């Protein structure tokens, strides 16, 4: 350990222009989100969403390389309300880096990350999906813009489009149960893991999302 180093430096000689964690906000995260920028090479990113309900589905897709450089992987229903134990998303981010493309994709979740997470990963997006947050309205190929330096995260959708998607599915929540009420289909839920993780039987039709873990379809623009 060097004995002649300066442990405390003046602001004019700051080691970084920001602290290790910064907040982001926008129409995708009205209540904000958190990104760890310490050691993050990519801070500005724009790409098509690949939407997954729960981490297992995203992890399986990453392991099978069912995603593309430039994608924004979205993991939802992992927040404090619906994510039992609120586990960290470290397995998915580690798998991405093991494939050598960690700086070429971004990850957005209403869940949390561990301190070992690398790359552009936005966690704690709020409101979370089970509370009716905009992250619940995302579909594959929606373009997400992230600027950690400016503190923004948004999806390229108009307020009118978001309202239309929201109107297609009313979400009712309690501390233990979430039911999605689909037009002309009634209310339904499928148990997943515990009583605090209940998922609409008609989730894709209800939210208008492609929630299959395969995501083999392509987006306009070559994705």
């Amino acid at each position: 350990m060097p004995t002649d180093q300066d442990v405390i430096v003046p602001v004019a000689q700051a080691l970084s222009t920001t602290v290790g964690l910064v907040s982001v906000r926008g129409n995708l995260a009205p209540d904000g989100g958190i990104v760890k920028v310490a050691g993050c090479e990519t801070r500005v990113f724009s790409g098509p969403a690949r939407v997954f309900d729960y981490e297992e589905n995203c992890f399986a897709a990453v392991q099978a390389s069912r995603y593309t450089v430039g994608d924004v992987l979205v993991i939802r229903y992992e927040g404090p309300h619906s994510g039992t134990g609120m586990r960290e998303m470290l397995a998915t981010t580690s798998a991405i880096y093991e494939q050598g493309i960690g700086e070429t994709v971004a990850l957005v979740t209403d869940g949390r990350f561990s301190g070992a997470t690398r790359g552009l990963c936005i966690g704690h997006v709020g409101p979370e999906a089970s509370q009716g947050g905009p992250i619940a309205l995302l579909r594959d190929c929606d373009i997400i813009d992230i600027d950690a330096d400016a503190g923004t995260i948004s999806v390229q959708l108009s307020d009118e489009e978001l309202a239309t998607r929201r109107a297609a599915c009313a979400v009712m929540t309690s501390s233990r149960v979430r039911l999605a009420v689909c037009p002309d289909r009634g209310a339904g839920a499928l148990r997943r893991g515990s009583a605090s993780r209940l998922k609409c039987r008609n989730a894709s039709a209800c939210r208008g999302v492609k929630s299959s873990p395969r995501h083999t379809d392509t987006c306009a623009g070559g994705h």
Side-chain angles (χ1 to χ4, degrees), residues 123-193:
H124 301 280
V125 167
E128 62 181 286
S130 66
Q131 297 293 293
I135 192 173
L137 308 177
L138 288 179
R139 300 176 183 175
D140 282 348
C141 300
D142 287 341
I143 302 300
I144 296 175
D145 300 317
I146 303 166
D147 190 331
D149 292 327
T152 60
I153 180 170
S154 60
V155 57
Q156 292 183 17
L157 296 173
S158 66
D159 292 341
E160 291 75 16
E161 173 62 19
L162 288 171
T164 297
R165 294 186 186 186
R166 186 177 301 281
C169 180
V171 179
M172 300 186 300
T173 61
S174 72
S175 61
R176 296 291 290 174
V177 176
R178 178 180 64 80
L179 294 177
V181 183
C182 306
D184 303 320
R185 291 179 174 85
L190 175 64
R191 182 176 297 274
R192 179 194 177 281

Short mmCIF file of all heavy atoms in Angstrom, two decimals, residues 123-193:
data_model
loop_
_atom_site.label_atom_id
_atom_site.label_comp_id
_atom_site.label_asym_id
_atom_site.label_seq_id
_atom_site.Cartn_x
_atom_site.Cartn_y
_atom_site.Cartn_z
N GLY A 123 -31.87 0.07 -12.14
CA GLY A 123 -32.72 -0.68 -11.23
C GLY A 123 -33.67 0.20 -10.46
O GLY A 123 -33.62 1.43 -10.55
N HIS A 124 -34.55 -0.44 -9.71
CA HIS A 124 -35.51 0.27 -8.85
C HIS A 124 -36.39 1.22 -9.64
O HIS A 124 -36.79 2.28 -9.12
CB HIS A 124 -34.77 1.02 -7.73
CG HIS A 124 -33.93 0.15 -6.85
ND1 HIS A 124 -34.48 -0.61 -5.83
CD2 HIS A 124 -32.61 -0.12 -6.85
CE1 HIS A 124 -33.51 -1.28 -5.22
NE2 HIS A 124 -32.37 -1.02 -5.83
N VAL A 125 -36.69 0.88 -10.89
CA VAL A 125 -37.56 1.73 -11.71
C VAL A 125 -38.94 1.81 -11.06
O VAL A 125 -39.54 0.78 -10.74
CB VAL A 125 -37.65 1.19 -13.15
CG1 VAL A 125 -38.79 1.86 -13.91
CG2 VAL A 125 -36.33 1.38 -13.87
N GLY A 126 -39.41 3.01 -10.87
CA GLY A 126 -40.69 3.19 -10.21
C GLY A 126 -41.61 4.16 -10.94
O GLY A 126 -41.14 5.07 -11.62
N PRO A 127 -42.92 3.92 -10.81
CA PRO A 127 -43.54 2.81 -10.10
C PRO A 127 -43.22 1.47 -10.76
O PRO A 127 -43.04 1.40 -11.97
CB PRO A 127 -45.05 3.11 -10.19
CG PRO A 127 -45.14 4.57 -10.53
CD PRO A 127 -43.93 4.86 -11.35
N GLU A 128 -43.16 0.42 -9.94
CA GLU A 128 -42.87 -0.90 -10.46
C GLU A 128 -44.06 -1.43 -11.26
O GLU A 128 -45.17 -0.88 -11.22
CB GLU A 128 -42.51 -1.86 -9.34
CG GLU A 128 -43.61 -2.10 -8.33
CD GLU A 128 -43.17 -3.04 -7.21
OE1 GLU A 128 -43.07 -4.25 -7.49
OE2 GLU A 128 -42.93 -2.57 -6.09
N ALA A 129 -43.83 -2.49 -12.01
CA ALA A 129 -44.85 -3.00 -12.92
C ALA A 129 -46.14 -3.39 -12.21
O ALA A 129 -47.24 -3.08 -12.67
CB ALA A 129 -44.30 -4.20 -13.69
N SER A 130 -46.01 -4.06 -11.07
CA SER A 130 -47.22 -4.53 -10.37
C SER A 130 -48.01 -3.40 -9.75
O SER A 130 -49.15 -3.59 -9.32
CB SER A 130 -46.84 -5.54 -9.29
OG SER A 130 -46.08 -4.93 -8.27
N GLN A 131 -47.43 -2.21 -9.73
CA GLN A 131 -48.13 -1.04 -9.23
C GLN A 131 -48.62 -0.16 -10.38
O GLN A 131 -49.01 0.99 -10.17
CB GLN A 131 -47.22 -0.23 -8.31
CG GLN A 131 -46.77 -0.97 -7.06
CD GLN A 131 -47.93 -1.24 -6.11
OE1 GLN A 131 -48.52 -0.33 -5.54
NE2 GLN A 131 -48.28 -2.51 -5.96
N GLY A 132 -48.61 -0.70 -11.58
CA GLY A 132 -49.13 0.02 -12.72
C GLY A 132 -48.15 0.99 -13.35
O GLY A 132 -48.56 1.89 -14.09
N GLY A 133 -46.86 0.85 -13.08
CA GLY A 133 -45.87 1.74 -13.66
C GLY A 133 -45.76 1.56 -15.17
O GLY A 133 -46.15 0.53 -15.71
N PRO A 134 -45.22 2.56 -15.87
CA PRO A 134 -45.08 2.48 -17.33
C PRO A 134 -44.28 1.28 -17.79
O PRO A 134 -44.47 0.81 -18.91
CB PRO A 134 -44.35 3.79 -17.68
CG PRO A 134 -44.74 4.74 -16.59
CD PRO A 134 -44.83 3.90 -15.35
N ILE A 135 -43.40 0.74 -16.95
CA ILE A 135 -42.62 -0.43 -17.35
C ILE A 135 -43.54 -1.62 -17.65
O ILE A 135 -43.20 -2.49 -18.44
CB ILE A 135 -41.59 -0.79 -16.24
CG1 ILE A 135 -40.59 -1.82 -16.76
CG2 ILE A 135 -42.28 -1.27 -14.98
CD1 ILE A 135 -39.44 -2.09 -15.80
N ALA A 136 -44.73 -1.63 -17.05
CA ALA A 136 -45.69 -2.71 -17.32
C ALA A 136 -46.32 -2.58 -18.70
O ALA A 136 -46.91 -3.53 -19.21
CB ALA A 136 -46.80 -2.70 -16.26
N LEU A 137 -46.21 -1.41 -19.32
CA LEU A 137 -46.84 -1.16 -20.61
C LEU A 137 -45.89 -1.39 -21.78
O LEU A 137 -46.32 -1.30 -22.94
CB LEU A 137 -47.35 0.29 -20.66
CG LEU A 137 -48.25 0.72 -19.49
CD1 LEU A 137 -48.61 2.19 -19.64
CD2 LEU A 137 -49.49 -0.14 -19.40
N LEU A 138 -44.64 -1.69 -21.50
CA LEU A 138 -43.66 -1.85 -22.57
C LEU A 138 -43.94 -3.08 -23.42
O LEU A 138 -44.45 -4.09 -22.95
CB LEU A 138 -42.26 -1.98 -21.98
CG LEU A 138 -41.63 -0.72 -21.38
CD1 LEU A 138 -40.25 -1.06 -20.82
CD2 LEU A 138 -41.52 0.39 -22.43
N ARG A 139 -43.59 -2.95 -24.71
CA ARG A 139 -43.67 -4.06 -25.64
C ARG A 139 -42.29 -4.25 -26.28
O ARG A 139 -41.49 -3.32 -26.32
CB ARG A 139 -44.69 -3.79 -26.75
CG ARG A 139 -46.11 -3.56 -26.25
CD ARG A 139 -47.01 -3.20 -27.40
NE ARG A 139 -48.37 -2.90 -26.95
CZ ARG A 139 -49.34 -2.46 -27.76
NH1 ARG A 139 -49.08 -2.26 -29.05
NH2 ARG A 139 -50.54 -2.21 -27.28
N ASP A 140 -42.05 -5.44 -26.78
CA ASP A 140 -40.83 -5.65 -27.54
C ASP A 140 -40.72 -4.62 -28.65
O ASP A 140 -41.71 -4.29 -29.30
CB ASP A 140 -40.82 -7.05 -28.16
CG ASP A 140 -40.46 -8.13 -27.16
OD1 ASP A 140 -40.00 -7.81 -26.06
OD2 ASP A 140 -40.67 -9.31 -27.49
N CYS A 141 -39.51 -4.13 -28.86
CA CYS A 141 -39.16 -3.19 -29.94
C CYS A 141 -39.49 -1.74 -29.63
O CYS A 141 -39.14 -0.86 -30.42
CB CYS A 141 -39.78 -3.60 -31.27
SG CYS A 141 -39.27 -5.24 -31.84
N ASP A 142 -40.15 -1.44 -28.52
CA ASP A 142 -40.26 -0.05 -28.09
C ASP A 142 -38.84 0.50 -27.89
O ASP A 142 -37.99 -0.18 -27.30
CB ASP A 142 -41.03 0.08 -26.77
CG ASP A 142 -42.52 -0.17 -26.93
OD1 ASP A 142 -43.02 -0.08 -28.07
OD2 ASP A 142 -43.18 -0.45 -25.91
N ILE A 143 -38.57 1.71 -28.36
CA ILE A 143 -37.23 2.27 -28.24
C ILE A 143 -37.07 2.98 -26.91
O ILE A 143 -37.85 3.87 -26.56
CB ILE A 143 -36.93 3.24 -29.40
CG1 ILE A 143 -37.08 2.53 -30.74
CG2 ILE A 143 -35.51 3.82 -29.25
CD1 ILE A 143 -36.15 1.34 -30.92
N ILE A 144 -36.05 2.57 -26.16
CA ILE A 144 -35.76 3.14 -24.85
C ILE A 144 -34.48 3.97 -24.94
O ILE A 144 -33.48 3.52 -25.50
CB ILE A 144 -35.61 2.04 -23.78
CG1 ILE A 144 -36.93 1.29 -23.61
CG2 ILE A 144 -35.15 2.63 -22.45
CD1 ILE A 144 -36.85 0.11 -22.66
N ASP A 145 -34.54 5.18 -24.41
CA ASP A 145 -33.39 6.08 -24.39
C ASP A 145 -32.91 6.27 -22.95
O ASP A 145 -33.71 6.59 -22.07
CB ASP A 145 -33.77 7.45 -24.97
CG ASP A 145 -34.23 7.35 -26.42
OD1 ASP A 145 -33.58 6.62 -27.19
OD2 ASP A 145 -35.23 8.01 -26.78
N ILE A 146 -31.62 6.08 -22.74
CA ILE A 146 -31.02 6.22 -21.41
C ILE A 146 -29.85 7.19 -21.49
O ILE A 146 -29.01 7.09 -22.39
CB ILE A 146 -30.51 4.86 -20.89
CG1 ILE A 146 -31.65 3.83 -20.85
CG2 ILE A 146 -29.87 5.02 -19.50
CD1 ILE A 146 -31.16 2.40 -20.66
N ASP A 147 -29.81 8.14 -20.59
CA ASP A 147 -28.68 9.07 -20.49
C ASP A 147 -28.35 9.24 -19.02
O ASP A 147 -28.98 10.03 -18.32
CB ASP A 147 -29.02 10.41 -21.13
CG ASP A 147 -27.80 11.32 -21.28
OD1 ASP A 147 -26.87 11.19 -20.45
OD2 ASP A 147 -27.78 12.16 -22.19
N ALA A 148 -27.38 8.46 -18.55
CA ALA A 148 -27.03 8.51 -17.13
C ALA A 148 -26.41 9.84 -16.76
O ALA A 148 -26.53 10.29 -15.62
CB ALA A 148 -26.08 7.36 -16.80
N ASP A 149 -25.72 10.48 -17.70
CA ASP A 149 -25.10 11.77 -17.41
C ASP A 149 -26.16 12.85 -17.22
O ASP A 149 -26.05 13.70 -16.33
CB ASP A 149 -24.15 12.17 -18.55
CG ASP A 149 -22.93 11.28 -18.61
OD1 ASP A 149 -22.47 10.82 -17.54
OD2 ASP A 149 -22.44 11.03 -19.72
N ALA A 150 -27.20 12.80 -18.05
CA ALA A 150 -28.29 13.78 -17.95
C ALA A 150 -29.32 13.37 -16.91
O ALA A 150 -30.19 14.18 -16.54
CB ALA A 150 -28.95 13.97 -19.30
N GLY A 151 -29.28 12.10 -16.46
CA GLY A 151 -30.23 11.61 -15.47
C GLY A 151 -31.61 11.35 -16.04
O GLY A 151 -32.61 11.62 -15.39
N THR A 152 -31.66 10.81 -17.27
CA THR A 152 -32.95 10.58 -17.91
C THR A 152 -33.10 9.15 -18.40
O THR A 152 -32.12 8.49 -18.77
CB THR A 152 -33.15 11.52 -19.11
OG1 THR A 152 -32.11 11.29 -20.07
CG2 THR A 152 -33.11 12.98 -18.67
N ILE A 153 -34.33 8.67 -18.41
CA ILE A 153 -34.68 7.38 -19.01
C ILE A 153 -36.09 7.51 -19.55
O ILE A 153 -37.01 7.92 -18.83
CB ILE A 153 -34.57 6.22 -18.01
CG1 ILE A 153 -34.95 4.90 -18.69
CG2 ILE A 153 -35.42 6.45 -16.76
CD1 ILE A 153 -34.66 3.66 -17.86
N SER A 154 -36.27 7.21 -20.82
CA SER A 154 -37.59 7.39 -21.42
C SER A 154 -37.81 6.36 -22.51
O SER A 154 -36.86 5.75 -23.03
CB SER A 154 -37.73 8.81 -22.01
OG SER A 154 -36.74 9.03 -23.00
N VAL A 155 -39.08 6.16 -22.86
CA VAL A 155 -39.44 5.30 -23.97
C VAL A 155 -40.07 6.19 -25.03
O VAL A 155 -40.81 7.13 -24.71
CB VAL A 155 -40.41 4.19 -23.53
CG1 VAL A 155 -41.67 4.75 -22.89
CG2 VAL A 155 -40.76 3.28 -24.71
N GLN A 156 -39.76 5.93 -26.28
CA GLN A 156 -40.25 6.78 -27.36
C GLN A 156 -41.70 6.46 -27.69
O GLN A 156 -42.04 5.92 -28.75
CB GLN A 156 -39.36 6.61 -28.60
CG GLN A 156 -37.95 7.15 -28.43
CD GLN A 156 -37.11 7.04 -29.69
OE1 GLN A 156 -37.63 6.85 -30.80
NE2 GLN A 156 -35.80 7.14 -29.55
N LEU A 157 -42.55 6.79 -26.74
CA LEU A 157 -44.00 6.63 -26.89
C LEU A 157 -44.67 7.91 -26.42
O LEU A 157 -44.24 8.54 -25.45
CB LEU A 157 -44.52 5.46 -26.06
CG LEU A 157 -44.02 4.05 -26.43
CD1 LEU A 157 -44.51 3.04 -25.42
CD2 LEU A 157 -44.49 3.67 -27.84
N SER A 158 -45.71 8.30 -27.11
CA SER A 158 -46.45 9.50 -26.72
C SER A 158 -47.28 9.22 -25.48
O SER A 158 -47.57 8.07 -25.14
CB SER A 158 -47.36 9.95 -27.86
OG SER A 158 -48.38 8.98 -28.09
N ASP A 159 -47.68 10.29 -24.82
CA ASP A 159 -48.58 10.14 -23.66
C ASP A 159 -49.88 9.46 -24.08
O ASP A 159 -50.46 8.68 -23.32
CB ASP A 159 -48.89 11.51 -23.05
CG ASP A 159 -47.67 12.14 -22.41
OD1 ASP A 159 -46.70 11.41 -22.12
OD2 ASP A 159 -47.69 13.37 -22.18
N GLU A 160 -50.32 9.74 -25.31
CA GLU A 160 -51.56 9.16 -25.80
C GLU A 160 -51.42 7.64 -25.98
O GLU A 160 -52.34 6.88 -25.63
CB GLU A 160 -51.96 9.81 -27.13
CG GLU A 160 -52.39 11.26 -27.04
CD GLU A 160 -51.23 12.22 -26.83
OE1 GLU A 160 -50.06 11.81 -27.07
OE2 GLU A 160 -51.48 13.37 -26.44
N GLU A 161 -50.28 7.20 -26.51
CA GLU A 161 -50.07 5.77 -26.70
C GLU A 161 -49.98 5.05 -25.35
O GLU A 161 -50.55 3.96 -25.17
CB GLU A 161 -48.81 5.52 -27.51
CG GLU A 161 -48.40 4.05 -27.64
CD GLU A 161 -49.43 3.18 -28.33
OE1 GLU A 161 -50.30 3.73 -29.05
OE2 GLU A 161 -49.37 1.94 -28.17
N LEU A 162 -49.28 5.65 -24.41
CA LEU A 162 -49.20 5.04 -23.09
C LEU A 162 -50.58 4.95 -22.45
O LEU A 162 -50.91 3.95 -21.81
CB LEU A 162 -48.25 5.86 -22.20
CG LEU A 162 -46.75 5.75 -22.54
CD1 LEU A 162 -45.96 6.76 -21.73
CD2 LEU A 162 -46.23 4.34 -22.28
N ALA A 163 -51.39 5.99 -22.62
CA ALA A 163 -52.74 5.99 -22.06
C ALA A 163 -53.60 4.92 -22.71
O ALA A 163 -54.41 4.25 -22.05
CB ALA A 163 -53.38 7.37 -22.23
N THR A 164 -53.43 4.73 -24.02
CA THR A 164 -54.19 3.70 -24.74
C THR A 164 -53.84 2.31 -24.22
O THR A 164 -54.71 1.48 -23.99
CB THR A 164 -53.90 3.78 -26.24
OG1 THR A 164 -54.36 5.05 -26.74
CG2 THR A 164 -54.62 2.67 -26.99
N ARG A 165 -52.56 2.08 -24.03
CA ARG A 165 -52.13 0.77 -23.52
C ARG A 165 -52.63 0.56 -22.09
O ARG A 165 -53.05 -0.53 -21.73
CB ARG A 165 -50.60 0.67 -23.56
CG ARG A 165 -50.03 0.66 -24.97
CD ARG A 165 -48.54 0.40 -24.95
NE ARG A 165 -47.94 0.54 -26.28
CZ ARG A 165 -46.68 0.26 -26.57
NH1 ARG A 165 -45.85 -0.18 -25.61
NH2 ARG A 165 -46.22 0.42 -27.80
N ARG A 166 -52.57 1.63 -21.29
CA ARG A 166 -53.02 1.50 -19.91
C ARG A 166 -54.51 1.20 -19.84
O ARG A 166 -54.97 0.42 -19.00
CB ARG A 166 -52.69 2.77 -19.13
CG ARG A 166 -52.98 2.68 -17.63
CD ARG A 166 -52.57 3.95 -16.91
NE ARG A 166 -51.15 4.22 -17.08
CZ ARG A 166 -50.20 3.62 -16.39
NH1 ARG A 166 -50.51 2.70 -15.50
NH2 ARG A 166 -48.93 3.93 -16.59
N ALA A 167 -55.27 1.83 -20.72
CA ALA A 167 -56.72 1.64 -20.72
C ALA A 167 -57.12 0.22 -21.08
O ALA A 167 -58.19 -0.25 -20.73
CB ALA A 167 -57.38 2.62 -21.68
N ALA A 168 -56.23 -0.48 -21.79
CA ALA A 168 -56.53 -1.85 -22.20
C ALA A 168 -56.46 -2.84 -21.05
O ALA A 168 -56.92 -3.97 -21.16
CB ALA A 168 -55.56 -2.28 -23.30
N CYS A 169 -55.87 -2.42 -19.94
CA CYS A 169 -55.75 -3.35 -18.82
C CYS A 169 -55.72 -2.58 -17.52
O CYS A 169 -54.81 -1.79 -17.27
CB CYS A 169 -54.47 -4.18 -18.96
SG CYS A 169 -54.24 -5.36 -17.62
N ALA A 170 -56.71 -2.79 -16.67
CA ALA A 170 -56.73 -2.19 -15.34
C ALA A 170 -56.07 -3.15 -14.37
O ALA A 170 -56.41 -4.33 -14.31
CB ALA A 170 -58.17 -1.92 -14.90
N VAL A 171 -55.10 -2.66 -13.62
CA VAL A 171 -54.37 -3.51 -12.68
C VAL A 171 -54.82 -3.22 -11.27
O VAL A 171 -54.78 -2.08 -10.80
CB VAL A 171 -52.84 -3.27 -12.80
CG1 VAL A 171 -52.10 -4.14 -11.79
CG2 VAL A 171 -52.38 -3.61 -14.21
N MET A 172 -55.28 -4.25 -10.58
CA MET A 172 -55.70 -4.12 -9.19
C MET A 172 -54.63 -4.77 -8.32
O MET A 172 -54.19 -5.88 -8.61
CB MET A 172 -57.04 -4.80 -8.95
CG MET A 172 -58.17 -4.24 -9.78
SD MET A 172 -59.76 -4.96 -9.35
CE MET A 172 -59.46 -6.69 -9.68
N THR A 173 -54.22 -4.11 -7.25
CA THR A 173 -53.15 -4.65 -6.43
C THR A 173 -53.53 -4.62 -4.96
O THR A 173 -54.34 -3.84 -4.50
CB THR A 173 -51.85 -3.84 -6.61
OG1 THR A 173 -52.09 -2.50 -6.19
CG2 THR A 173 -51.39 -3.85 -8.05
N SER A 174 -52.92 -5.52 -4.22
CA SER A 174 -52.97 -5.50 -2.77
C SER A 174 -51.60 -5.93 -2.29
O SER A 174 -50.70 -6.20 -3.09
CB SER A 174 -54.05 -6.46 -2.25
OG SER A 174 -53.63 -7.79 -2.42
N SER A 175 -51.41 -6.04 -0.97
CA SER A 175 -50.09 -6.42 -0.47
C SER A 175 -49.75 -7.88 -0.77
O SER A 175 -48.61 -8.28 -0.72
CB SER A 175 -50.03 -6.18 1.05
OG SER A 175 -51.00 -6.97 1.71
N ARG A 176 -50.76 -8.67 -1.11
CA ARG A 176 -50.50 -10.08 -1.34
C ARG A 176 -50.93 -10.56 -2.73
O ARG A 176 -50.50 -11.61 -3.18
CB ARG A 176 -51.25 -10.92 -0.29
CG ARG A 176 -50.79 -10.69 1.12
CD ARG A 176 -49.40 -11.24 1.32
NE ARG A 176 -49.38 -12.70 1.29
CZ ARG A 176 -48.25 -13.39 1.32
NH1 ARG A 176 -47.09 -12.79 1.35
NH2 ARG A 176 -48.29 -14.72 1.30
N VAL A 177 -51.79 -9.82 -3.41
CA VAL A 177 -52.39 -10.33 -4.64
C VAL A 177 -52.36 -9.26 -5.72
O VAL A 177 -52.59 -8.10 -5.45
CB VAL A 177 -53.85 -10.78 -4.42
CG1 VAL A 177 -54.49 -11.21 -5.73
CG2 VAL A 177 -53.91 -11.93 -3.42
N ARG A 178 -52.04 -9.67 -6.95
CA ARG A 178 -52.19 -8.78 -8.09
C ARG A 178 -53.05 -9.49 -9.13
O ARG A 178 -52.77 -10.60 -9.54
CB ARG A 178 -50.84 -8.43 -8.72
CG ARG A 178 -50.98 -7.53 -9.95
CD ARG A 178 -49.61 -7.21 -10.53
NE ARG A 178 -48.95 -8.38 -11.02
CZ ARG A 178 -49.20 -8.96 -12.20
NH1 ARG A 178 -50.11 -8.43 -12.97
NH2 ARG A 178 -48.56 -10.04 -12.58
N LEU A 179 -54.12 -8.84 -9.57
CA LEU A 179 -54.97 -9.37 -10.62
C LEU A 179 -55.01 -8.38 -11.76
O LEU A 179 -55.14 -7.18 -11.55
CB LEU A 179 -56.40 -9.61 -10.12
CG LEU A 179 -56.59 -10.70 -9.06
CD1 LEU A 179 -58.04 -10.73 -8.63
CD2 LEU A 179 -56.17 -12.05 -9.60
N ALA A 180 -54.90 -8.86 -12.96
CA ALA A 180 -55.04 -8.01 -14.13
C ALA A 180 -56.40 -8.29 -14.74
O ALA A 180 -56.76 -9.43 -15.00
CB ALA A 180 -53.94 -8.29 -15.13
N VAL A 181 -57.20 -7.26 -14.94
CA VAL A 181 -58.54 -7.40 -15.48
C VAL A 181 -58.49 -7.10 -16.96
O VAL A 181 -58.23 -5.97 -17.37
CB VAL A 181 -59.52 -6.46 -14.77
CG1 VAL A 181 -60.93 -6.68 -15.31
CG2 VAL A 181 -59.49 -6.71 -13.27
N CYS A 182 -58.72 -8.11 -17.79
CA CYS A 182 -58.62 -7.96 -19.23
C CYS A 182 -60.00 -7.70 -19.81
O CYS A 182 -60.97 -8.34 -19.43
CB CYS A 182 -58.05 -9.22 -19.86
SG CYS A 182 -56.48 -9.73 -19.14
N PRO A 183 -60.11 -6.76 -20.75
CA PRO A 183 -61.40 -6.50 -21.38
C PRO A 183 -61.98 -7.77 -22.00
O PRO A 183 -61.30 -8.50 -22.71
CB PRO A 183 -61.03 -5.47 -22.47
CG PRO A 183 -59.77 -4.83 -21.98
CD PRO A 183 -59.03 -5.92 -21.26
N ASP A 184 -63.25 -8.04 -21.70
CA ASP A 184 -63.97 -9.19 -22.25
C ASP A 184 -63.42 -10.54 -21.79
O ASP A 184 -63.79 -11.57 -22.32
CB ASP A 184 -63.98 -9.15 -23.79
CG ASP A 184 -64.58 -7.87 -24.33
OD1 ASP A 184 -65.58 -7.40 -23.75
OD2 ASP A 184 -64.04 -7.34 -25.31
N ARG A 185 -62.51 -10.52 -20.84
CA ARG A 185 -61.94 -11.78 -20.38
C ARG A 185 -62.13 -11.99 -18.88
O ARG A 185 -61.92 -13.07 -18.37
CB ARG A 185 -60.45 -11.86 -20.73
CG ARG A 185 -60.17 -11.98 -22.22
CD ARG A 185 -58.69 -12.01 -22.48
NE ARG A 185 -58.39 -12.26 -23.88
CZ ARG A 185 -58.33 -11.31 -24.80
NH1 ARG A 185 -58.59 -10.04 -24.46
NH2 ARG A 185 -58.05 -11.60 -26.05
N GLY A 186 -62.46 -10.94 -18.18
CA GLY A 186 -62.61 -11.05 -16.75
C GLY A 186 -61.28 -11.06 -16.05
O GLY A 186 -60.24 -10.82 -16.64
N ALA A 187 -61.30 -11.34 -14.76
CA ALA A 187 -60.07 -11.33 -13.97
C ALA A 187 -59.53 -12.73 -13.84
O ALA A 187 -60.26 -13.70 -13.70
CB ALA A 187 -60.34 -10.75 -12.58
N GLY A 188 -58.23 -12.85 -13.90
CA GLY A 188 -57.62 -14.16 -13.73
C GLY A 188 -56.21 -14.02 -13.23
O GLY A 188 -55.56 -13.02 -13.47
N ALA A 189 -55.73 -15.03 -12.55
CA ALA A 189 -54.36 -14.96 -12.05
C ALA A 189 -53.76 -16.36 -12.01
O ALA A 189 -54.46 -17.34 -11.84
CB ALA A 189 -54.33 -14.34 -10.65
N LEU A 190 -52.48 -16.41 -12.21
CA LEU A 190 -51.76 -17.68 -12.18
C LEU A 190 -50.69 -17.60 -11.11
O LEU A 190 -49.84 -16.73 -11.13
CB LEU A 190 -51.10 -17.94 -13.55
CG LEU A 190 -50.20 -19.17 -13.65
CD1 LEU A 190 -51.03 -20.44 -13.43
CD2 LEU A 190 -49.51 -19.22 -15.01
N ARG A 191 -50.75 -18.51 -10.16
CA ARG A 191 -49.78 -18.50 -9.07
C ARG A 191 -48.38 -18.78 -9.59
O ARG A 191 -48.15 -19.67 -10.38
CB ARG A 191 -50.16 -19.55 -8.03
CG ARG A 191 -49.21 -19.57 -6.82
CD ARG A 191 -49.72 -20.55 -5.79
NE ARG A 191 -51.01 -20.17 -5.28
CZ ARG A 191 -51.20 -19.33 -4.27
NH1 ARG A 191 -50.16 -18.78 -3.68
NH2 ARG A 191 -52.41 -19.03 -3.86
N ARG A 192 -47.42 -17.98 -9.13
CA ARG A 192 -46.02 -18.21 -9.47
C ARG A 192 -45.19 -18.04 -8.22
O ARG A 192 -44.92 -16.94 -7.78
CB ARG A 192 -45.54 -17.22 -10.52
CG ARG A 192 -44.07 -17.42 -10.88
CD ARG A 192 -43.57 -16.21 -11.67
NE ARG A 192 -42.15 -16.35 -11.96
CZ ARG A 192 -41.19 -16.09 -11.07
NH1 ARG A 192 -41.48 -15.69 -9.86
NH2 ARG A 192 -39.92 -16.23 -11.41
N GLY A 193 -44.81 -19.13 -7.62
CA GLY A 193 -43.88 -19.08 -6.49
C GLY A 193 -44.55 -18.84 -5.16
O GLY A 193 -44.35 -19.58 -4.22
#
